[in-house]
Amino acid sequence: QVQLEDTGGGLVQAGGSLRLACATSGRIYSSAVMAWFRQAPGKEREFVAAMRWGVQRSMYADSVKGRFTISRGNANTAHLQMNSLKSEDTAVYFCARGTDFSSLPSQYRDWGQGTQVTVSS
């Protein structure tokens, strides 16, 4: 089973930026979909962004569109650049890997352990 490690979270002021990284234990193949989800206390896990690795086709949640960018790093790393952060972006962020280009958590088999992002207002 592929292992994912997500890093880069932290405390930032509103309006600031953070860049998350997701490193996998093996190469990310072109057919894979890499995604980011987030979960705030007391809320369900929600979709943030996803990318079909080979063609770099991406999609975003409406709440982050224009502010967040999912991108490829090297052969086994995905990134989430988060700009113009808001207090409502505070959550634990998880990277995930699957094969369906989907916004549903159930479609992703492999998950990172999560990294905390806290935005102070």
Side-chain angles (χ1 to χ4, degrees), residues 3-80:
Q3 294 187 347
L4 280 65
E5 181 180 14
D6 32 35
T7 58
L11 173 64
V12 64
Q13 288 187 333
S17 299
L18 281 174
R19 188 179 190 225
L20 306 183
C22 176
T24 70
S25 59
R27 178 181 175 181
I28 303 172
Y29 291 95
S30 61
S31 60
V33 176
M34 299 300 295
W36 289 93
F37 291 80
R38 66 187 182 187
Q39 189 166 17
K43 295 188 177 181
E44 293 187 354
R45 191 166 297 190
E46 67 172 357
F47 171 75
V48 175
M51 172 181 281
R52 172 74 72 182
W53 200 249
V55 297
Q56 299 189 52
R57 176 189 174 195
S58 59
M59 64 174 174
Y60 298 90
D62 288 343
S63 59
V64 307
K65 204 171 292 183
R67 300 189 297 122
F68 291 12
T69 303
I70 187 170
S71 64
R72 293 177 53 154
N74 57 26
N76 67 336
T77 304
H79 293 283
L80 182 70

Side-chain angles (χ1 to χ4, degrees), residues 10-16 85-90 117-121:
L11 173 64
V12 64
Q13 288 187 333
L85 282 161
K86 305 175 182 180
S87 57
E88 51 262 45
D89 295 319
T90 295
V117 171
T118 303
V119 184
S120 63
S121 57

